[in-house]
Amino acid sequence: MRWRASLQARLGLTLSLVLTVLWLLAASVTAVIVRSEMDEVFDSALRETAERILPLAVTDIVGREDQGVTQRLAPIRAHDEFFTYLVRDAEGRILLQSHAADVTMFPPWEGPGFVETASHRYYSDAALQGTIRITVAEPLTHRAAVAREIQMGLGLPLLIVLPLALGAIILAVRFSLAPLRRFRTRLEARGARDLSEVPGDDLPTEIAPLAATLNSLLSRLRDAFEAERSFAANAAHELRTPLAGAIAQAQRLGSETQDPATKARAAEIEATLKRLTRFSERLMQLARAEGGRLRMDHSADLRAIARVVVDDLARGAAPGRIVLTLPETAVLSDIDPDAFAILCRNLVENALRHGADTAPVEVTLTPGGRLVVANEGPVLPRDRLDRLTVRFERANVGAEGSGLGLAIVAAIADRIESPLVLESPRPGAKSGFQASILLPTEDEWA
């Protein structure tokens, strides 16, 4: 499995591990060097001790009245004695010894120089042509204790300095990556339709090319989408005039001819041209929904717009076919009035086209800004509901329509960041269809 930790965690952990390893390596090498130097210092002290004691011992031994007698020096006060010594003659008899010397641990005379056993390190020397010999002993535990103290002195700062160093590394990495986090925040705050450039002037030089590449990609996508929307809108707009002329010619042909077959053919041509006109209008609405600005700098009362749209559709429908319910208080929203009219018209037309003729289409605008359009009809399965917002998808394949109505509504809903909710059956009923969307209002801003 790949490690997907953040860049900050990777840098912090990597630098911390490298620092720790280097510090431990430096401490280990320092300990080895110090131990070598320490052994040299202790050997020098061991030798100097023997060289200082031997002349004094010779003077004391030569001036004795009783030769060959062992003399043990008494301690002046209690103390730790790291060096002990023996002074012997050529026959090995002990002439002088320190008070803490253990005779059994001293090795036989092997000549001047250093000797080391499992427990002690010795230095031996001789005077008066080898007749008086001294051996100074130092326990190896003494050196080991000093070495441990040195190692502790080198290691203990790790417990204090290393955490501080790690904290400093984390803060430094976090501070260095702050521009990258700000860039990510700005990018995450973008809506799905916002393809403008993301400011990245404060990014490090290593990351700046990535931001430039991303902004270049966003620019190309924006140009491509704009070209697509512009083509659809321009094509639909340019079709208006020839379609209107063709419809007028078909109507004139139908009125001038007396042949029933020709009159029927002219009516079919007129109906086809009108469907093509409605389809071009839907394309213009889709381009408007996907490319235009849908939020304004001022607010408007949505009740008046909904009333105008419903009244216009009601003139072409049966009496009582549409039931409009509006709140008594104003519903103020900054959504573009044209966009809201397109949204409302498509929802109502969809309900009129696919709903049952025996039941009215209910259009409700709540005080909170929720637009609800409901109609009677058969229950649609969940998978069919999920496909209704796809372009050119129809709930009833045999029904008239472009298949763009709910796709346009979904595009507007996505642009204003409010989900379009499709339900079947209607809430509280066993059949029917309901579409609802929550519009941005002043109450929401407050």
Side-chain angles (χ1 to χ4, degrees):
M1 180 182 294
R2 296 182 60 188
W3 183 33
R4 300 184 62 185
S6 66
L7 179 60
Q8 176 177 314
R10 291 184 181 184
L11 287 175
L13 183 58
T14 301
L15 292 176
S16 300
L17 289 176
V18 170
L19 177 63
T20 302
V21 171
L22 290 178
W23 199 310
L24 291 175
L25 181 61
S28 300
V29 173
T30 303
V32 172
I33 295 174
V34 170
R35 179 61 185 267
S36 177
E37 295 295 328
M38 181 191 70
D39 286 339
E40 291 183 7
V41 171
F42 278 110
D43 284 348
S44 176
L46 194 63
R47 181 172 182 172
E48 289 183 4
T49 300
E51 291 177 351
R52 289 179 179 274
I53 294 176
L54 182 58
L56 299 177
V58 169
T59 303
D60 178 72
I61 294 171
V62 171
R64 289 180 185 176
E65 296 180 358
D66 297 327
Q67 298 296 323
V69 177
T70 301
Q71 182 180 356
R72 179 188 294 268
L73 297 180
I76 300 175
R77 65 181 64 89
H79 64 281
D80 293 331
E81 188 168 341
F82 299 115
F83 291 169
T84 59
Y85 62 88
L86 287 181
V87 179
R88 293 173 286 191
D89 59 14
E91 287 76 23
R93 290 176 299 179
I94 299 174
L95 304 177
L96 182 66
Q97 68 180 72
S98 60
H99 73 279
D102 184 359
V103 177
T104 60
M105 71 179 184
F106 282 82
W109 174 261
E110 296 180 359
F114 290 97
V115 176
E116 185 172 321
T117 63
S119 60
H120 287 75
R121 185 167 179 81
Y122 305 90
Y123 179 76
S124 300
D125 204 350
L128 299 180
Q129 298 181 353
T131 58
I132 298 178
R133 304 166 180 175
I134 186 172
T135 302
V136 182
E138 179 191 9
L140 294 180
T141 55
H142 174 226
R143 297 193 179 192
V146 174
R148 283 195 300 270
E149 291 178 1
I150 293 175
Q151 291 172 353
M152 291 293 292
L154 292 173
L156 284 179
L158 291 177
L159 301 178
I160 301 176
V161 177
L162 192 57
L164 294 178
L166 298 184
I169 289 175
I170 293 174
L171 291 178
V173 171
R174 183 174 181 82
F175 177 78
S176 300
L177 295 181
L180 187 59
R181 289 197 301 274
R182 289 194 294 269
F183 183 81
R184 182 192 65 186
T185 301
R186 289 193 291 264
L187 189 59
E188 290 178 344
R190 296 296 182 91
R193 300 288 180 177
D194 188 358
L195 298 178
S196 60
E197 291 189 357
V198 183
D201 298 335
D202 57 343
L203 288 175
T205 54
E206 293 82 3
I207 307 297
L210 178 62
T213 303
L214 175 62
N215 285 328
S216 177
L217 175 60
L218 291 176
S219 178
R220 292 197 297 270
L221 288 175
R222 184 173 62 252
D223 293 342
F225 289 153
E226 185 62 31
E228 180 184 353
R229 289 192 294 263
S230 178
F231 174 79
N234 292 335
H237 179 75
E238 293 298 329
L239 283 174
R240 279 184 168 183
T241 301
L243 285 175
I247 290 173
Q249 292 296 328
Q251 291 174 343
R252 182 177 179 181
L253 177 63
S255 62
E256 291 178 352
T257 185
Q258 301 298 324
D259 183 16
T262 303
K263 189 180 290 292
R265 180 64 57 85
E268 291 180 2
I269 294 174
E270 180 183 357
T272 301
L273 291 174
K274 287 183 177 180
R275 286 196 299 270
L276 183 58
T277 301
R278 289 193 297 270
F279 182 72
S280 66
E281 290 178 354
R282 290 293 187 274
L283 288 178
M284 291 184 63
Q285 291 177 358
L286 183 60
R288 172 77 173 84
E290 292 185 340
R293 183 184 179 189
L294 302 187
R295 303 289 289 270
M296 309 300 292
D297 297 330
H298 58 276
S299 300
D301 188 358
L302 298 182
R303 296 181 303 168
I305 304 171
R307 187 179 292 109
V308 170
V309 172
V310 170
D311 289 345
D312 181 57
L313 294 174
R315 283 192 290 269
R321 186 76 171 84
I322 305 176
V323 177
L324 176 62
T325 303
L326 298 175
E328 297 181 358
T329 57
V331 182
L332 300 177
S333 174
D334 67 345
I335 186 174
D336 182 78
D338 291 338
F340 176 69
I342 292 173
L343 183 149
C344 185
R345 177 178 291 275
N346 279 280
L347 286 178
V348 176
E349 285 184 346
N350 182 78
L352 289 172
R353 185 175 297 111
H354 299 286
D357 297 334
T358 57
V361 173
E362 300 177 2
V363 182
T364 304
L365 181 62
T366 67
R370 180 173 290 278
L371 178 65
V372 181
V373 179
N375 60 270
E376 187 56 49
V379 176
L380 298 178
R382 184 73 254 177
D383 59 340
R384 179 65 63 84
L385 284 176
D386 295 336
R387 295 198 304 270
L388 288 182
T389 55
V390 179
R391 298 178 185 181
F392 310 111
E393 184 73 23
R394 299 179 178 88
N396 185 357
V397 179
E400 294 185 359
S402 61
L404 291 175
L406 290 181
I408 294 171
V409 174
I412 295 175
D414 182 61
R415 291 288 305 283
I416 64 175
E417 298 181 353
S418 180
L420 172 64
V421 181
L422 304 179
E423 299 173 278
S424 182
R426 299 168 55 182
K430 296 182 179 180
S431 60
F433 174 84
Q434 176 176 296
S436 63
I437 181 174
L438 182 62
L439 304 167
T441 60
E442 287 188 350
D443 294 338
E444 176 184 335
W445 309 328

